[in-house]
Amino acid sequence: MPEGVAGASGQRATRAQTWRRRGADVAAVLVPTVLFALARTVDSNLLLLVTIMVYVVLAQGVNVIYGFTGYLPFGYVGFFGAGAYGTYIAVAHLGAGAVEATVLGGVCAVLVAIVLIPLLRLRGAYFAIASLAAALALSSLVSNPSLQSVTNGPYGADLSQVFSSGGSYWTAVVIVAFAMLVVVVLRRSRLGLQLRAVRADQVSASYAGVNVVAARTGAWLLSALLAGLAGGVYAWAISTFYPTAVFDTTISLFAIVFALFGGVGTVLGPVVGAVVLYYVYNAIGVNDPQYFQLIFGVVIVVIALFLPGGLAAVLLGARRRLATRGADAG
Amino acid sequence: MPAESASAAPIGEAPPASALLAVAAVTKLFGPLRALDEVSLRVDRGEVLGLVGPNGSGKTTVINVISGLLAPTSGRVLLEGQDVSGKAPFRLARRGINRTFQIPKPFPALTARENLAVAFHGSRLTDAEILELVGLGGREERLASELTASDQKRLDLARALVTGPRLLLVDELGAGLSKTELDELAGILRRLVAELGMTMVVVEHLMGFLEQVADSVTVLNAGAVIFSGGLSEALSDPAVVKVFIGG
Ligand SMILES: Nc1ncnc2c1ncn2[C@@H]1O[C@H](COP(=O)(O)OP(=O)(O)OP(=O)(O)O)[C@@H](O)[C@H]1O
Ligand SMILES: [Mg+2]
């Protein structure tokens, strides 16, 4: 063989790796999107499908903020509710179309997140509790009767004038694609790398020139955007709702459990977690919600104690063990 | 590097333009503890200042204050005559001050290459050249957590170098290294000064190491400067001898 082949084949190997990685990224965005787009042919309950997609997006939003920064947002539902009400206000008062209104719902959640940036100064349980308190405060603000002219206060929002089960379904599919794209790009991006560094060692990251506050704020706003879009499309799909329905802290809890169960820090983990657990919930939980919350509570404890990496870690671990066994045998 | 213009400040106000770093009467209190007591230092461009003193005398605190991890309780840190006291490390890193840690602090779950990729890039050297320079060539894809203690120190140094520091603060890089490794490291620091025009403050207990790299030394005791001058004069200064041998 001519000289230099070793180097060239080495290069080819890395190029192959690059292509494989790109392929995996594209598949991670396309496969869930296409599956959800096709889902309507097997399950005609479009509201159920939208709800599952909403949880996929929320779980990815938790992935962005918790998986990349370590902030556990128990008040995550605040952004969801802000998105739902932003969408309602855009339709009812600005005369926006449903799709634009959904986008404005996302913007509305980002505005709330901007106001709440100071919460990022808190850590651990203090942050978790403060974010929950912020969500409760937002909820009582929205449902305050004196804001009836804006939010219709406690009497609930009505979006039936723009109702479209197909429209909200396809918008949800697009939002799922967007959420997948956000996570895939974030993982490969410089910001993603910086956030991993900040999580590992804040001081070292700062000396590396990383603006720790700005990097965390970026993740915070992105995760708020995802929750806001999810809230917007959910509001559109269910058409009429009370404040308590879109500021229900169970929504935060579900999103966190789904993300943790599937595996934060991975691209597909939260999707699998949301789909599997929501179907389980839908099969047994809706009728007996009290048992279901008990089960979810236990799932959180078990994951926290035994499976910090979620389902993804179990699967990756099994693959690695198989690989080493194969290597040992060969 | 662009040519630095001379400071327009009146004489006596700012140090001469050749002083890259001036620490002016910095005091740092930790509660009742006076960790630094009116410490003043000056490091000229291209100079290597050795910083010595017994354990707990405040050497690391000096580095922490200069590099922005701690704000001084009083006094000022001047970079090229400009007050940079209390600016965050990431801002100072971008302005050309960086440091290594007494106990290295790489990002354990990232590879050596990723550890550098995270950083703000201000050096004219590539990451590969920097890894080569510090002696980590061929270990780019290792996780930092898998590196030996000595290699983690090299990685710490490399990450600081990526940001292109004009002023490098080195905190006990030599501790725990073999004689061969020490000589190699001294050679690396000398190259940084000679080839990249770097200015340094080097904290070190090992006099043999300082002899190889430092132009002058400042001796701290209990947070106060007790000597500034040449290394050989320091070793014959009665106050210094008393601290190191009598204390
Ligand atoms: N963040 C802090 N909070 C409280 N006290 C501190 C802090 N950092 C340092 N100190 C105290 O300040 C004094 C100086 O510490 P410093 O680490 O600067 O000493 P040093 O000269 O680097 O010592 P060594 O040779 O052991 O590294 C010590 O008494 C130390 O305990
Ligand atoms: Mg020290």
Side-chain angles (χ1 to χ4, degrees):
Chain A
M1 267 192 209
E3 56 182 307
V5 161
S9 73
Q11 250 177 19
R12 220 175 295 143
T14 52
R15 204 176 303 152
Q17 271 170 4
T18 312
W19 278 109
R20 202 180 313 146
R21 202 184 297 158
R22 274 191 205 147
D25 286 351
V26 171
V29 176
L30 286 187
V31 169
T33 309
V34 169
L35 287 180
F36 278 117
L38 295 176
R40 62 181 314 194
T41 58
V42 278
D43 193 334
S44 59
N45 185 348
L46 291 193
L47 183 57
L48 173 66
L49 292 177
V50 169
T51 307
I52 290 174
M53 286 190 272
V54 158
Y55 275 113
V56 165
V57 174
L58 287 174
Q60 287 298 31
V62 168
N63 193 14
V64 168
I65 185 66
Y66 180 67
F68 284 87
T69 71
Y71 284 97
L72 192 56
F74 273 117
Y76 194 50
V77 69
F79 299 139
F80 182 81
Y85 268 92
T87 299
Y88 164 70
I89 291 168
V91 170
H93 300 300
L94 306 178
V99 173
E100 296 96 302
T102 304
V103 173
L104 287 174
V107 172
C108 188
V110 171
L111 294 178
V112 170
I114 290 172
V115 172
L116 294 180
I117 283 173
L119 290 189
L120 295 176
R121 290 199 205 129
L122 303 172
R123 298 296 296 162
Y126 296 98
F127 171 81
I129 291 165
S131 81
L132 185 58
L136 294 175
L138 188 62
S139 167
S140 53
L141 177 73
V142 164
S143 52
N144 194 310
S146 60
L147 277 184
Q148 195 183 344
S149 60
V150 184
T151 63
N152 206 28
Y155 315 110
D158 183 0
L159 285 167
S160 49
Q161 57 190 24
V162 292
F163 180 74
S164 158
S165 61
S168 53
Y169 174 82
W170 288 112
T171 305
V173 171
V174 171
I175 294 172
V176 165
F178 176 68
M180 299 308 297
L181 192 68
V182 164
V183 174
V184 164
V185 170
L186 186 60
R187 248 170 60 110
R188 299 279 183 228
S189 72
R190 205 175 147 67
L191 176 62
L193 189 60
Q194 292 180 337
L195 289 168
R196 282 165 71 194
V198 170
R199 258 201 100 165
D201 193 318
Q202 199 178 323
V203 169
S204 291
S206 186
Y207 278 106
V210 177
N211 184 339
V212 174
V213 175
R216 282 178 174 156
T217 304
W220 175 243
L221 299 183
L222 269 180
S223 98
L225 175 64
L226 292 181
L229 292 171
V233 78
Y234 183 72
W236 184 14
I238 59 170
S239 198
T240 57
F241 55 92
Y242 289 108
T244 46
V246 292
F247 284 102
D248 182 352
T249 48
T250 311
I251 295 172
S252 297
L253 186 70
F254 275 24
I256 290 170
V257 173
F258 295 166
L260 290 180
F261 179 76
V264 289
T266 67
V267 173
L268 289 176
V271 182
V272 175
V275 171
V276 170
L277 290 186
Y278 195 84
Y279 260 111
V280 172
Y281 167 73
N282 193 54
I284 63 168
V286 178
N287 302 321
D288 303 297
Q290 66 277 35
Y291 296 129
F292 203 73
Q293 293 198 351
L294 178 73
I295 294 172
F296 267 26
V298 172
V299 167
I300 291 193
V301 172
V302 169
I303 291 172
L305 286 178
F306 304 110
L307 292 176
L311 213 55
V314 177
L315 295 176
L316 291 175
R319 197 172 73 180
R320 206 167 296 137
R321 271 195 300 281
L322 279 177
T324 31
R325 206 178 299 156
D328 288 349
Chain B
M1 223 193 298
E4 315 289 349
S5 60
S7 163
I11 296 162
E13 269 287 300
S18 66
L20 183 73
L21 171 76
V23 173
V26 162
T27 295
K28 179 69 195 176
L29 304 179
F30 292 115
L33 175 73
R34 194 168 275 267
L36 297 181
D37 188 8
E38 305 251 321
V39 168
S40 295
L41 329 156
R42 233 194 82 152
V43 193
D44 288 340
R45 202 162 275 119
E47 184 190 349
V48 178
L49 174 71
L51 189 58
V52 297
N55 287 339
S57 57
K59 304 179 297 290
T60 298
T61 305
V62 168
I63 287 186
N64 287 343
V65 168
I66 296 173
S67 62
L69 190 60
L70 299 173
T73 308
S74 65
R76 296 192 302 164
V77 177
L78 305 169
L79 181 70
E80 292 172 326
Q82 287 186 323
D83 193 347
V84 295
S85 332
K87 285 209 190 306
F90 82 90
R91 292 196 194 284
L92 294 179
R94 294 172 185 195
R95 281 181 67 165
I97 300 182
N98 221 313
R99 57 92 59 91
T100 68
F101 295 93
Q102 196 164 346
I103 296 161
K105 284 157 73 69
F107 307 116
L110 303 189
T111 64
R113 196 179 45 72
E114 287 172 329
N115 262 270
L116 303 199
V118 168
F120 162 77
H121 280 60
S123 175
R124 50 187 163 89
L125 300 180
T126 64
D127 291 7
E129 287 168 336
I130 286 171
L131 286 170
E132 197 63 47
L133 176 74
V134 302
L136 280 177
R139 269 160 286 186
E140 297 81 358
E141 299 305 325
R142 292 279 179 83
L143 290 180
S145 58
E146 293 168 351
L147 294 176
T148 63
S150 148
D151 282 351
Q152 290 195 356
K153 289 188 166 207
R154 292 170 197 268
L155 185 55
D156 226 27
L157 176 61
R159 193 183 54 212
L161 293 179
V162 167
T163 64
R166 285 173 290 160
L167 175 66
L168 180 67
L169 312 164
V170 181
D171 198 355
E172 300 205 24
L173 205 52
L177 299 191
S178 71
K179 177 78 176 86
T180 333
E181 286 173 321
L182 278 175
D183 290 344
E184 190 196 338
L185 222 49
I188 292 170
L189 296 188
R190 280 201 308 267
R191 277 186 65 190
L192 293 174
V193 175
E195 292 171 27
L196 297 174
M198 236 171 248
T199 306
M200 290 185 197
V201 175
V202 178
V203 170
E204 194 51 79
H205 278 295
L206 306 163
M207 289 302 160
F209 186 83
L210 279 183
E211 267 168 3
Q212 291 187 58
V213 297
D215 300 308
S216 60
V217 293
T218 289
V219 183
L220 281 178
N221 185 37
V225 173
I226 58 164
F227 177 89
S228 283
L231 184 60
S232 48
E233 291 94 87
L235 294 175
S236 57
D237 185 274
V240 175
V241 170
K242 185 156 171 281
V243 163
F244 276 94
I245 297 161

mmCIF file of all heavy atoms in Angstrom, chain A residues 3-20:
data_model
loop_
_atom_site.group_PDB
_atom_site.id
_atom_site.type_symbol
_atom_site.label_atom_id
_atom_site.label_comp_id
_atom_site.label_asym_id
_atom_site.label_seq_id
_atom_site.Cartn_x
_atom_site.Cartn_y
_atom_site.Cartn_z
ATOM 1 N N GLU A 3 2.369 4.925 0.872
ATOM 2 C CA GLU A 3 2.527 5.558 2.178
ATOM 3 C C GLU A 3 1.437 6.601 2.413
ATOM 4 O O GLU A 3 0.853 7.119 1.469
ATOM 5 C CB GLU A 3 3.915 6.190 2.276
ATOM 6 C CG GLU A 3 4.171 7.170 1.149
ATOM 7 C CD GLU A 3 5.570 7.748 1.230
ATOM 8 O OE1 GLU A 3 5.938 8.275 2.304
ATOM 9 O OE2 GLU A 3 6.274 7.665 0.222
ATOM 10 N N GLY A 4 1.208 6.872 3.682
ATOM 11 C CA GLY A 4 0.208 7.904 4.007
ATOM 12 C C GLY A 4 -1.198 7.348 4.119
ATOM 13 O O GLY A 4 -2.116 8.061 4.486
ATOM 14 N N VAL A 5 -1.338 6.053 3.818
ATOM 15 C CA VAL A 5 -2.681 5.483 3.882
ATOM 16 C C VAL A 5 -3.217 5.479 5.312
ATOM 17 O O VAL A 5 -4.387 5.772 5.546
ATOM 18 C CB VAL A 5 -2.674 4.051 3.295
ATOM 19 C CG1 VAL A 5 -3.893 3.273 3.772
ATOM 20 C CG2 VAL A 5 -2.655 4.135 1.783
ATOM 21 N N ALA A 6 -2.308 5.170 6.241
ATOM 22 C CA ALA A 6 -2.764 5.121 7.637
ATOM 23 C C ALA A 6 -3.391 6.448 8.043
ATOM 24 O O ALA A 6 -4.482 6.488 8.585
ATOM 25 C CB ALA A 6 -1.597 4.790 8.559
ATOM 26 N N GLY A 7 -2.680 7.522 7.703
ATOM 27 C CA GLY A 7 -3.201 8.841 8.057
ATOM 28 C C GLY A 7 -4.527 9.110 7.377
ATOM 29 O O GLY A 7 -5.481 9.546 8.009
ATOM 30 N N ALA A 8 -4.594 8.778 6.078
ATOM 31 C CA ALA A 8 -5.814 9.056 5.333
ATOM 32 C C ALA A 8 -6.987 8.264 5.894
ATOM 33 O O ALA A 8 -8.082 8.788 6.066
ATOM 34 C CB ALA A 8 -5.606 8.733 3.854
ATOM 35 N N SER A 9 -6.724 6.967 6.214
ATOM 36 C CA SER A 9 -7.836 6.164 6.712
ATOM 37 C C SER A 9 -8.230 6.644 8.102
ATOM 38 O O SER A 9 -9.395 6.599 8.475
ATOM 39 C CB SER A 9 -7.484 4.680 6.725
ATOM 40 O OG SER A 9 -6.576 4.424 7.771
ATOM 41 N N GLY A 10 -7.229 7.127 8.860
ATOM 42 C CA GLY A 10 -7.557 7.707 10.160
ATOM 43 C C GLY A 10 -8.501 8.869 9.979
ATOM 44 O O GLY A 10 -9.504 8.991 10.674
ATOM 45 N N GLN A 11 -8.175 9.708 8.976
ATOM 46 C CA GLN A 11 -9.032 10.859 8.716
ATOM 47 C C GLN A 11 -10.418 10.425 8.270
ATOM 48 O O GLN A 11 -11.414 10.993 8.676
ATOM 49 C CB GLN A 11 -8.416 11.709 7.613
ATOM 50 C CG GLN A 11 -7.905 13.018 8.133
ATOM 51 C CD GLN A 11 -7.227 13.819 7.053
ATOM 52 O OE1 GLN A 11 -7.434 13.576 5.880
ATOM 53 N NE2 GLN A 11 -6.426 14.760 7.453
ATOM 54 N N ARG A 12 -10.423 9.365 7.427
ATOM 55 C CA ARG A 12 -11.710 8.891 6.942
ATOM 56 C C ARG A 12 -12.552 8.396 8.110
ATOM 57 O O ARG A 12 -13.744 8.618 8.160
ATOM 58 C CB ARG A 12 -11.496 7.768 5.927
ATOM 59 C CG ARG A 12 -12.447 7.847 4.747
ATOM 60 C CD ARG A 12 -12.116 6.777 3.719
ATOM 61 N NE ARG A 12 -10.817 6.952 3.096
ATOM 62 C CZ ARG A 12 -10.001 5.945 2.768
ATOM 63 N NH1 ARG A 12 -10.335 4.706 3.027
ATOM 64 N NH2 ARG A 12 -8.847 6.178 2.195
ATOM 65 N N ALA A 13 -11.882 7.748 9.061
ATOM 66 C CA ALA A 13 -12.624 7.252 10.225
ATOM 67 C C ALA A 13 -13.287 8.407 10.962
ATOM 68 O O ALA A 13 -14.453 8.333 11.314
ATOM 69 C CB ALA A 13 -11.691 6.499 11.160
ATOM 70 N N THR A 14 -12.528 9.515 11.145
ATOM 71 C CA THR A 14 -13.136 10.610 11.878
ATOM 72 C C THR A 14 -14.239 11.258 11.051
ATOM 73 O O THR A 14 -15.233 11.696 11.591
ATOM 74 C CB THR A 14 -12.100 11.681 12.268
ATOM 75 O OG1 THR A 14 -11.395 12.043 11.109
ATOM 76 C CG2 THR A 14 -11.169 11.177 13.337
ATOM 77 N N ARG A 15 -14.043 11.275 9.720
ATOM 78 C CA ARG A 15 -15.097 11.845 8.897
ATOM 79 C C ARG A 15 -16.341 10.971 8.974
ATOM 80 O O ARG A 15 -17.460 11.462 9.079
ATOM 81 C CB ARG A 15 -14.632 11.988 7.442
ATOM 82 C CG ARG A 15 -15.401 13.062 6.706
ATOM 83 C CD ARG A 15 -14.861 13.265 5.300
ATOM 84 N NE ARG A 15 -13.452 13.609 5.285
ATOM 85 C CZ ARG A 15 -12.624 13.330 4.266
ATOM 86 N NH1 ARG A 15 -13.056 12.681 3.221
ATOM 87 N NH2 ARG A 15 -11.363 13.683 4.317
ATOM 88 N N ALA A 16 -16.135 9.654 8.984
ATOM 89 C CA ALA A 16 -17.266 8.739 9.132
ATOM 90 C C ALA A 16 -17.972 8.995 10.465
ATOM 91 O O ALA A 16 -19.192 9.013 10.542
ATOM 92 C CB ALA A 16 -16.791 7.291 9.053
ATOM 93 N N GLN A 17 -17.153 9.213 11.504
ATOM 94 C CA GLN A 17 -17.741 9.499 12.818
ATOM 95 C C GLN A 17 -18.598 10.753 12.767
ATOM 96 O O GLN A 17 -19.699 10.793 13.291
ATOM 97 C CB GLN A 17 -16.635 9.705 13.855
ATOM 98 C CG GLN A 17 -16.205 8.426 14.530
ATOM 99 C CD GLN A 17 -14.953 8.634 15.368
ATOM 100 O OE1 GLN A 17 -14.473 9.754 15.492
ATOM 101 N NE2 GLN A 17 -14.433 7.565 15.922
ATOM 102 N N THR A 18 -18.033 11.789 12.117
ATOM 103 C CA THR A 18 -18.778 13.041 12.000
ATOM 104 C C THR A 18 -20.101 12.813 11.310
ATOM 105 O O THR A 18 -21.144 13.304 11.760
ATOM 106 C CB THR A 18 -17.959 14.065 11.199
ATOM 107 O OG1 THR A 18 -16.649 14.073 11.730
ATOM 108 C CG2 THR A 18 -18.570 15.449 11.297
ATOM 109 N N TRP A 19 -20.073 12.036 10.223
ATOM 110 C CA TRP A 19 -21.315 11.804 9.490
ATOM 111 C C TRP A 19 -22.298 10.996 10.303
ATOM 112 O O TRP A 19 -23.494 11.249 10.287
ATOM 113 C CB TRP A 19 -21.022 11.112 8.143
ATOM 114 C CG TRP A 19 -20.597 12.125 7.137
ATOM 115 C CD1 TRP A 19 -19.342 12.294 6.624
ATOM 116 C CD2 TRP A 19 -21.401 13.152 6.549
ATOM 117 N NE1 TRP A 19 -19.319 13.356 5.770
ATOM 118 C CE2 TRP A 19 -20.572 13.911 5.690
ATOM 119 C CE3 TRP A 19 -22.751 13.521 6.668
ATOM 120 C CZ2 TRP A 19 -21.030 14.995 4.957
ATOM 121 C CZ3 TRP A 19 -23.213 14.600 5.938
ATOM 122 C CH2 TRP A 19 -22.356 15.323 5.099
ATOM 123 N N ARG A 20 -21.751 10.001 11.045
ATOM 124 C CA ARG A 20 -22.645 9.193 11.876
ATOM 125 C C ARG A 20 -23.315 10.092 12.923
ATOM 126 O O ARG A 20 -24.493 9.970 13.209
ATOM 127 C CB ARG A 20 -21.865 8.075 12.560
ATOM 128 C CG ARG A 20 -22.774 6.931 12.966
ATOM 129 C CD ARG A 20 -22.005 5.819 13.651
ATOM 130 N NE ARG A 20 -20.797 5.442 12.947
ATOM 131 C CZ ARG A 20 -19.680 5.039 13.565
ATOM 132 N NH1 ARG A 20 -19.631 4.986 14.874
ATOM 133 N NH2 ARG A 20 -18.616 4.697 12.870
#
